[in-house]
């Protein structure tokens, strides 16, 4: 069986690397020639733990790369569509990339006798697969779904920083289709990879789409909830949100995951999926009161951090503020919807001088701010002559910092939005977000 993967971003490259390293015959497709050349050399165009070593194993085995979609359509039994569905400026989902990919797939289907199963792994709002993707494929191929091709919704649940692990060991597989034979074929394919230990739910396309949005919306809700509790703890001396989170997380009905209070959720999934779901429901005439509150709580979280900085430092004009951590989470170079980026934008408007450090996200940040801020490869240099340091991302390097590391600061004020430090210097002001002082 030959498998085509169209779109070699975070999801596509993770799947292509893992499956080819296991000996599956994979064709990776991407229109970005520069990206393809990077991948062919065994390098990933983005940072993700373990992806390069997995990719290199795949290249040694059965990973072929091409910019031609028609090659995959002509030769593959399964075609996984893993292109991006980013957020528009008004918070809606942008389907242009995936619909353009489907246009090219349809044009290739017109000229082939091959009848592939087309599997949509990209995140799309409910009814997109049936109302838009299917229509585009049928229009361009002049073939009916179920005859010239079949269409399956198969959302992914990968976490940045753990994508390879999650690809190798998914917690769940969702198969959405009206075609029983195609559902069984894909189910057998996954059981060949994972055995029968992974739960597989077979449903229709629209329900499969809703499952992905419900999953991410619930995770965002947990984060906003615990951040709301953190803000409460901030006002109550002696309280600690981490102890609260640990206690309620022991309850099996709640669980520990996604109860880590911090500066707010970011990245390529939760912000866009929550907003897309809100707009989708509103277009159906149903206001999403809960998700609106989740979204607003996340937006307001940055105001809490600004208030803590101004309360500690005073007027920010010409004050040097050090930001430790730019990616939206550790073990990633992704700054999309990162609270750190939004924080820097606000601090610049207040005429503060910004010094930053991040193990992986510096280059991505330079594309936004250019020479408006100073970048440092060493933490000590970023801290030098600073009036305040804000820890935004829970990189291990930051949790290992000692009292003496902050001696180079002009004023030793540390605001720890992740509460990862354990400092005991009376000459140092430490503020942990969610810890009442």
């Amino acid at each position: 069986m030959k498998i085509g993967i169209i779109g070699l971003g975070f999801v596509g490259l993770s799947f292509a690397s893992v499956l080819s390293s296991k000996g599956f015959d994979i064709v990776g497709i991407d229109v970005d020639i520069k990206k393809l050349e990077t991948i062919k050399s065994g390098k990933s165009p983005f940072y993700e733990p373990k992806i390069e070593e997995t990719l290199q194993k795949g290249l040694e085995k059965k990973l072929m790369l091409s910019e031609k979609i028609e090659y995959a359509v002509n030769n593959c039994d399964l075609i996984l569509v893993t292109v991006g569905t980013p957020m528009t400026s008004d918070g809606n989902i942008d389907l242009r990339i995936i619909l353009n990919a489907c246009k090219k797939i349809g044009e290739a289907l017109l000229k082939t006798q091959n009848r592939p199963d087309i599997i949509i792994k990209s995140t799309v709002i409910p009814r997109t697969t049936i109302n838009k993707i299917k229509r585009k494929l049928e229009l361009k191929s002049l073939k009916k779904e179920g005859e010239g091709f079949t269409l399956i919704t198969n959302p992914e649940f990968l976490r940045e920083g753990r994508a390879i692990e999650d690809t190798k060991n998914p917690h769940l597989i969702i198969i959405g289709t009206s075609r029983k034979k195609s559902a069984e074929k894909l189910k057998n394919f996954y059981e060949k990879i994972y055995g029968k230990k992974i739960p597989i739910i077979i449903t229709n396309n629209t329900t499969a789409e809703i499952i992905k949005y419900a999953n991410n919306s619930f995770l965002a809700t947990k984060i906003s909830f615990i951040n709301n509790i953190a803000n409460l703890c901030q006002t109550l001396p002696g309280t600690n949100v981490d102890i609260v989170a640990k206690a309620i997380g022991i309850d099996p009905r709640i669980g520990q995951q996604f109860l880590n209070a911090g500066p707010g959720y970011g990245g390529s999934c939760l912000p866009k999926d929550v907003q897309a779901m809100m707009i989708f429901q509103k277009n159906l005439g149903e206001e999403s009161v809960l998700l609106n509150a989740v979204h607003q709580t996340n937006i307001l979280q940055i105001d809490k951090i600004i208030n803590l900085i101004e309360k500690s430092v005073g007027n920010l004009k010409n004050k040097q503020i050090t930001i430790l951590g730019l990616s939206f989470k550790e073990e990633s170079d992704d700054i999309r919807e990162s609270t750190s980026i939004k924080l820097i934008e606000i601090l610049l408007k207040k005429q503060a001088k910004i010094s930053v450090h991040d193990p992986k996200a510096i280059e991505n940040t330079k594309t936004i701010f250019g020479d408006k801020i100073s970048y440092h490869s060493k933490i000590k240099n970023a801290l030098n002559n600073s009036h305040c340091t804000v820890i935004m991302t829970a990189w291990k390097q930051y949790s290992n910092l000692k009292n003496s590391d902050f001696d180079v600061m002009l004023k030793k004020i540390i605001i720890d939005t992740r509460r990862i430090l354990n400092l005991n210097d009376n000459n140092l002001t430490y503020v942990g977000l969610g810890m009442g002082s």
Side-chain angles (χ1 to χ4, degrees):
M1 177 184 289
K2 189 182 285 288
I3 303 147
I5 299 179
I6 298 177
L8 297 177
F10 172 69
V11 175
L13 187 57
S14 297
F15 271 89
S17 301
V18 170
L19 294 182
S20 58
S21 71
K22 289 178 175 289
F24 287 91
D25 201 352
I26 305 296
V27 180
I29 308 292
D30 202 287
V31 296
D32 188 333
I33 303 299
K34 185 178 179 181
K35 182 195 289 185
L36 285 177
E37 291 302 318
T38 299
I39 296 170
K40 285 178 182 177
S41 71
K43 301 292 184 182
S44 171
F46 52 86
Y47 175 73
E48 177 66 31
K50 300 181 181 179
I51 196 166
E52 289 191 351
E53 60 188 78
T54 310
L55 169 62
Q56 289 160 14
K57 290 178 183 177
L59 289 168
E60 292 170 0
K61 292 185 177 181
K62 290 191 173 182
L63 176 57
M64 173 187 170
L65 299 167
S66 174
E67 74 277 10
K68 298 184 183 300
I69 284 180
E70 55 266 30
Y71 181 86
V73 175
N74 289 334
N75 296 282
C76 294
D77 303 289
L78 303 178
I79 297 175
L80 279 58
V81 180
T82 58
V83 298
T85 51
M87 183 169 58
T88 62
S89 58
D90 63 358
N92 216 328
I93 186 172
D94 187 345
L95 295 173
R96 287 177 296 180
I97 299 173
I98 192 169
L99 291 179
N100 186 54
C102 290
K103 171 179 174 288
K104 293 179 180 178
I105 293 171
E107 290 169 347
L109 283 169
L110 178 64
K111 302 173 184 178
T112 186
Q113 296 300 311
N114 192 29
R115 297 175 56 186
D117 290 319
I118 299 171
I119 300 161
I120 305 300
K121 295 195 75 65
S122 304
T123 301
V124 293
I125 57 173
R127 297 179 181 171
T128 298
T129 305
I130 296 302
N131 289 352
K132 294 186 178 181
I133 292 175
K134 176 184 172 183
R135 187 182 304 165
K136 180 70 71 174
L137 290 167
E138 290 183 335
L139 178 66
K140 293 300 176 180
S141 69
L142 301 181
K143 297 176 180 179
K144 289 289 185 181
E145 193 275 330
E147 298 175 6
F149 64 95
T150 55
L151 193 55
I152 301 173
T153 304
N154 179 218
E156 53 75 26
F157 301 93
L158 304 186
R159 295 168 291 178
E160 290 194 48
R162 302 185 70 174
I164 298 302
E165 178 185 337
D166 287 349
T167 304
K168 291 180 177 179
N169 300 287
H171 73 279
L172 172 68
I173 293 168
I174 302 295
I175 298 173
T177 180
S178 60
R179 309 293 173 186
K180 184 177 180 181
K181 186 176 179 180
S182 294
E184 286 299 317
K185 179 180 175 181
L186 187 57
K187 180 174 181 285
N188 291 336
F189 168 70
Y190 279 125
E191 287 181 345
K192 187 175 180 181
I193 302 172
Y194 305 120
K196 296 186 178 182
K197 61 181 179 178
I198 308 299
I200 296 178
I201 294 177
I202 297 176
T203 182
N204 58 51
N205 298 87
T206 302
T207 302
E209 292 165 336
I210 293 175
I211 288 170
K212 177 59 186 286
Y213 276 95
N215 188 92
N216 281 357
S217 296
F218 186 75
L219 296 178
T221 300
K222 288 188 76 174
I223 295 171
S224 283
F225 171 80
I226 200 62
N227 283 341
N228 187 66
I229 299 299
N231 297 335
L232 172 63
C233 289
Q234 194 75 43
T235 66
L236 297 172
T239 59
N240 187 326
V241 69
D242 289 327
I243 297 174
V244 176
K246 181 179 180 180
I248 65 174
I250 291 173
D251 189 325
R253 297 169 298 176
I254 297 174
Q256 295 283 358
Q257 292 194 50
F258 285 80
L259 286 180
N260 299 314
Y265 57 77
S268 63
C269 293
L270 299 191
K272 79 178 181 70
D273 290 354
V274 168
Q275 291 182 73
M277 193 64 162
M278 289 164 54
I279 292 172
F280 176 72
Q281 287 187 252
K282 189 173 184 179
N283 290 339
L284 291 177
E286 181 181 345
E287 196 75 30
S288 180
V289 177
L290 174 61
L291 291 186
N292 185 63
V294 169
H295 177 58
Q296 289 302 317
T297 298
N298 198 57
I299 290 175
L300 293 174
Q301 194 66 7
I302 197 166
D303 293 337
K304 303 295 182 181
I305 300 170
I306 292 291
N307 289 339
L308 288 176
I309 297 172
E310 291 184 322
K311 185 177 179 180
S312 301
V313 179
N315 191 311
L316 295 178
K317 185 176 181 179
N318 294 325
K319 300 289 178 60
Q320 180 176 311
I321 309 298
T322 297
I323 307 297
L324 297 183
L326 300 167
S327 57
F328 84 98
K329 65 179 293 188
E330 66 277 14
E331 298 300 336
S332 172
D333 63 355
D334 194 346
I335 60 171
R336 287 174 290 182
E337 297 298 312
S338 169
T339 309
S340 298
I341 302 304
K342 298 172 185 177
L343 176 63
I344 292 170
E345 290 172 343
I346 295 172
L347 292 174
L348 286 174
K349 289 179 181 178
K350 292 178 177 287
Q351 301 181 54
K353 297 178 180 179
I354 309 299
S355 174
V356 303
H357 174 275
D358 188 283
K360 297 295 179 181
I362 290 290
E363 292 305 314
N364 287 340
T365 305
K366 285 181 179 178
T367 64
I368 296 178
F369 295 110
D371 60 2
K372 294 179 182 179
I373 64 178
S374 61
Y375 309 89
H376 302 276
S377 58
K378 294 183 178 180
I379 299 174
K380 183 177 180 180
N381 292 342
L383 296 173
N384 192 41
N385 290 324
S386 178
H387 293 83
C388 176
T389 294
V390 187
I391 299 176
M392 293 291 288
T393 314
W395 286 99
K396 187 175 181 180
Q397 293 94 316
Y398 304 150
S399 63
N400 291 332
L401 291 171
K402 304 293 190 297
N403 294 343
S404 58
D405 291 317
F406 298 98
D407 289 343
V408 295
M409 294 179 66
L410 198 63
K411 290 187 177 180
K412 295 198 285 185
I413 301 172
I414 293 90
I415 296 174
D416 184 359
T417 70
R418 304 287 184 173
R419 300 164 309 285
I420 58 176
L421 291 179
N422 184 19
L423 304 175
N424 55 6
D425 187 346
N426 291 330
N427 295 317
L428 182 151
T429 300
Y430 175 82
V431 180
L433 180 63
M435 298 172 65
S437 58

